[in-house]
Amino acid sequence: MKIDRLLSIVFILLEKKKTSAKELAEIFEVSTRTIYRDIDTLTLAGVPIVMLPGVNGGIQILEDYKVNKNYFSLSDLSTLLLGLNSVSPTLSMEEESSALSKIKNLIPKETYVEVEKKMSQISIDLTSWASNNQTSKTFKKIKKAIDQSKVIEFSYYDRSMNATTRIVEPYRLVMKDTSWYLQAYCLLREDVRVFRLSRMEHVELKDTFEKRELEFQPLSGDKWIGDRLMMVKLKVDLLARERIVERVGEDAIESIDGDDMIVNFPFVDDDYGYSILLSFGETCECLEPEYVRNKLVDKLRKILSVYE
């Protein structure tokens, strides 16, 4: 993450006094161009970094510069620790303890109790209700591959459970909704691709690769949803109001009549879209369009036939 790299650069410069862009690039496994951009960012943020030319030159922070512990407010430090605690299941013990110690050193002893109090007000738990050891193992392998710049090979299953062999350069792990995804450069397609970890099996680390300068887009779903997104009208029992609001917000509720509400629901005409509607069970009825309603009836009959 860029913010983590920026903080680490500051600590390295404070400790080493002077280093080079090449050394920093090797430490963080990025290009020297990226390091120079990071230095510009830190300079604009007020960190007094100077770049000295010549054989004995390099990058350094002015000798009289100290990290001001009052630079971060209690709220800032609480937020940093909260974020670190939320991702701690994905970090190694060494990474977690190192990051925690750096942040805790910024907190004056007399205010640490107040920071802990603020942290106790919010808790973020990214683990699932049900244990999924396979995804956890896959995550750790991929994270190791990213850290070591290793190409990975794996079997990937699509929604129809068709398996293909993929060979990619892994770059970034992303939590989206309730699932982990890998953003990687596919050597076959010669382009950036996104893979869901729960569909990956037999992950193996291969040769080392040189990282590319890539731009990753947010996982908004625009590329795979596109023009397929449509609105369906649902009659939903008020018992399911919480789930509706959680997924599409209050504005989606068109009207409420007795124990039912009429909802305009964003929908994609594929297996995943129908599985969402079916997950509401008897609390939801699709009113229109007619063909979506008919497909739901057909799917319900197929489900019923399994139990007959």
Side-chain angles (χ1 to χ4, degrees):
M1 294 181 291
K2 182 176 180 179
I3 185 64
D4 183 59
R5 189 171 66 244
L6 292 173
L7 286 171
S8 296
I9 288 174
V10 172
F11 281 109
I12 288 172
L13 292 176
L14 286 171
E15 182 181 352
K16 288 190 173 183
K17 304 302 182 185
K18 183 165 58 178
T19 187
S20 68
K22 183 180 178 181
E23 289 174 326
L24 291 173
E26 290 174 353
I27 291 172
F28 298 106
E29 298 182 336
V30 296
S31 67
T32 54
R33 187 172 60 178
T34 297
I35 293 298
Y36 286 128
R37 285 202 298 263
D38 289 345
I39 298 301
D40 288 340
T41 300
L42 289 169
T43 303
L44 289 172
V47 181
I49 297 177
V50 293
M51 301 182 67
L52 305 175
V55 178
N56 297 318
I59 303 170
Q60 69 177 52
I61 290 181
L62 294 180
E63 291 185 7
D64 60 349
Y65 178 74
K66 300 291 183 182
V67 175
N68 184 358
K69 293 187 176 184
N70 294 322
Y71 180 77
F72 294 104
S73 68
L74 290 181
S75 179
D76 292 335
L77 293 169
S78 300
T79 302
L80 285 170
L81 289 172
L82 176 64
L84 181 59
N85 285 335
S86 70
V87 299
S88 60
T90 68
L91 299 175
S92 67
M93 291 297 292
E94 294 80 8
E95 289 173 321
E96 184 181 0
S97 60
S98 173
L100 278 170
S101 63
K102 287 177 182 177
I103 295 176
K104 286 179 180 178
N105 283 335
L106 296 173
I107 305 174
K109 292 181 179 179
E110 63 272 16
T111 59
Y112 191 76
V113 174
E114 186 63 27
V115 170
E116 284 191 320
K117 181 180 177 182
K118 285 182 174 293
M119 283 181 60
S120 68
Q121 296 170 356
I122 302 175
S123 177
I124 301 174
D125 188 350
L126 297 180
T127 59
S128 61
W129 288 102
S131 175
N132 187 345
N133 292 329
Q134 183 58 46
T135 299
S136 177
K137 290 177 182 177
T138 301
F139 183 97
K140 290 177 180 178
K141 279 187 178 181
I142 294 173
K143 189 173 185 304
K144 181 179 179 181
I146 294 173
D147 290 340
Q148 298 180 358
S149 297
K150 295 281 189 179
V151 170
I152 59 173
E153 181 177 339
F154 55 92
S155 298
Y156 194 69
Y157 293 84
D158 62 19
R159 289 177 181 170
S160 300
M161 293 308 292
N162 298 313
T164 55
T165 299
R166 306 296 182 98
I167 302 176
V168 306
E169 298 171 355
Y171 281 84
R172 186 164 66 171
L173 287 156
V174 181
M175 167 65 80
K176 179 71 173 182
D177 198 0
T178 58
S179 300
W180 280 104
Y181 295 85
L182 168 67
Q183 290 181 316
Y185 184 84
C186 178
L187 296 179
L188 176 63
R189 304 298 182 188
E190 297 185 346
D191 198 4
V192 172
R193 290 289 187 271
V194 178
F195 303 94
R196 188 168 176 164
L197 265 62
S198 59
R199 296 180 183 170
M200 299 170 64
E201 287 188 3
H202 313 301
V203 178
E204 294 182 13
L205 278 64
K206 299 294 185 179
D207 297 332
T208 302
F209 69 93
E210 185 175 345
K211 291 193 174 180
R212 308 167 192 264
E213 289 289 331
L214 299 174
E215 292 291 333
F216 292 100
Q217 300 299 318
L219 299 186
S220 62
D222 292 341
K223 286 188 176 180
W224 62 271
I225 293 177
D227 296 333
R228 297 190 300 146
L229 188 65
M230 56 183 287
M231 302 300 291
V232 295
K233 193 175 291 291
L234 309 177
K235 183 170 78 171
V236 184
D237 192 297
L238 282 175
L239 292 173
R241 181 190 180 104
E242 181 182 350
R243 285 190 61 196
I244 289 292
V245 172
E246 224 174 39
R247 182 170 282 275
V248 295
E250 290 276 359
D251 293 341
I253 301 175
E254 184 178 295
S255 62
I256 298 177
D257 183 13
D259 293 332
D260 297 317
M261 52 186 177
I262 303 300
V263 177
N264 294 309
F265 196 88
F267 172 78
V268 175
D269 187 6
D270 59 15
D271 288 340
Y272 182 66
Y274 285 101
S275 70
I276 293 174
L277 296 184
L278 290 170
S279 71
F280 285 96
E282 70 276 12
T283 65
C284 173
E285 177 187 357
C286 177
L287 300 179
E288 55 183 64
E290 188 70 20
Y291 79 91
V292 173
R293 179 184 175 92
N294 291 338
K295 277 192 179 182
L296 283 167
V297 171
D298 185 53
K299 288 180 178 292
L300 288 168
R301 284 175 177 158
K302 289 179 179 178
I303 293 172
L304 182 59
S305 68
V306 175
Y307 295 92
E308 289 179 341

